[in-house]
Amino acid sequence: MAEDDDSYWNSSSAKGFSWDDSSDSVVLPSASISSSSSNTPATDLVTFEAGLSTSSQVADRVREATKLISAAAELPEPSISQLVGLKDVRKLEAELLTVRKNFAKLQQDRFQPSSATQTVQDMVLGRPFSLEGFRSLQDKEGLLDSALEWGDGEVVLAVAIMLKNTLKRSKFLAIMSSRQEAADQLISHMVVRLELREVVDLLVSLDRSHEAGVVAYKQAVNTNSLEIRSRNLKQTLVNNLKSHLDADLVVEQINLSERLAPVINGEVGQVDRQAGSLVGASVLKSLLYLSTHHYGAAENLLHSPLALRKMHRLTDKQFTWVSLRARAVGEAWDDCLGP
């Protein structure tokens, strides 16, 4: 039995190709895997049979499909009734006419804005909106009034900025003067963006000179150079703070800046004294510095504590306490005893 199995696996029924063979076709032989033992059941046999060529069947199927396509192409186009069902043609025509009219109306109204109330509502709810359609002065006033009625600060600010950018200044100021809430929203926005010069002009135009002076003062002192600060304060005092309630305080700050600027410049080499801290110092802090480093200076000198006392009208208690503290820190005990 073993010899029969070896002879089966060592033999082959495949026919090699030869150029001398007159046949133009190569036929695959049937292949079967079976056991030569008669004891092997038939269900264990695995057989691969090479079938016949199906090219003729494929050709028949192609011809059949071509005929079906040709027949479908020759069919007439379906009518409207066939597509939509058995509805009345007149009813369909009426519906189509209505749709056309609605479309024409939409085309005609596509450049007309929504109502002011609807636009503000869309802005509040975060829906798409457009302010381009509000072109007349009346429409813009109505839009701002609607925004004020809703009470949303961001919406009021957006409308106020639109008015500022699209209206003449005279008309814009007229609207803002009668709607101070909208003006406040716009001014706060401009202050945050450091548009202080425009804020001052707007406040002056709205006859709010006191607030204009405060903003102008903030802009004037926004520098670390005492020379520039004193110059800005003088200009601000003339333009915005002439009749202001705190005008005298601004004058004192100008005098202090003009006194301390030469002192700071003269002590550039004295690193341990930290003269740069005097840039934003008050009168009493300046007195503390001068009493520490220039206690015995003559009154006619800028760095004299006595001159500072006289210029800013300090009381005896203020001068004595600050000077005593400065001399005690420097351990100048003889100066602390007094005359």
Side-chain angles (χ1 to χ4, degrees), residues 65-102:
T66 303
K67 291 179 180 180
L68 293 176
I69 294 173
S70 301
E74 295 176 357
L75 292 176
E77 295 184 0
S79 62
I80 296 178
S81 59
Q82 292 176 343
L83 292 176
V84 301
L86 300 177
K87 291 185 178 181
D88 188 5
V89 177
R90 294 181 179 179
K91 185 177 180 180
L92 292 175
E93 291 179 352
E95 292 178 358
L96 180 60
L97 182 61
T98 303
V99 171
R100 287 177 178 176
K101 288 181 179 180
N102 293 335

Side-chain angles (χ1 to χ4, degrees), residues 176-288:
M176 290 294 105
S177 61
S178 60
R179 298 166 178 84
Q180 293 294 329
E181 184 179 351
D184 292 339
Q185 291 288 341
L186 181 61
I187 289 171
S188 300
H189 171 73
M190 296 170 68
V191 169
V192 172
R193 295 175 60 86
L194 298 179
E195 300 174 357
L196 301 182
R197 187 178 298 276
E198 296 184 14
V199 172
V200 172
D201 295 339
L202 178 59
L203 289 172
V204 171
S205 301
L206 296 177
D207 197 19
R208 296 163 63 172
S209 57
H210 179 80
E211 299 176 54
V214 174
V215 176
Y217 172 82
K218 182 179 180 180
Q219 182 182 13
V221 299
N222 189 24
T223 177
N224 292 327
S225 174
L226 290 180
E227 293 87 349
I228 298 176
R229 180 182 297 181
S230 61
R231 185 167 60 251
N232 292 342
L233 287 174
K234 288 180 180 179
Q235 184 178 359
T236 302
L237 185 63
V238 174
N239 296 334
N240 306 107
L241 299 173
K242 184 178 297 184
S243 58
H244 198 274
L245 185 63
D246 299 326
D248 294 338
L249 297 178
V250 177
V251 173
E252 289 194 11
Q253 187 172 4
I254 293 173
N255 294 333
L256 181 62
S257 299
E258 292 179 344
R259 177 179 295 274
L260 295 180
V263 174
I264 296 174
N265 294 332
E267 299 190 359
V268 175
Q270 304 292 336
V271 181
D272 57 328
R273 295 185 177 182
Q274 299 180 353
S277 62
L278 294 175
V279 172
S282 63
V283 175
L284 294 181
K285 186 176 180 180
S286 302
L287 176 61
L288 180 64

Side-chain angles (χ1 to χ4, degrees), residues 145-163:
D145 292 335
S146 297
L148 291 173
E149 289 178 1
W150 276 80
D152 192 300
E154 294 184 357
V155 175
V156 173
L157 176 60
V159 177
I161 292 176
M162 187 267 287
L163 298 181

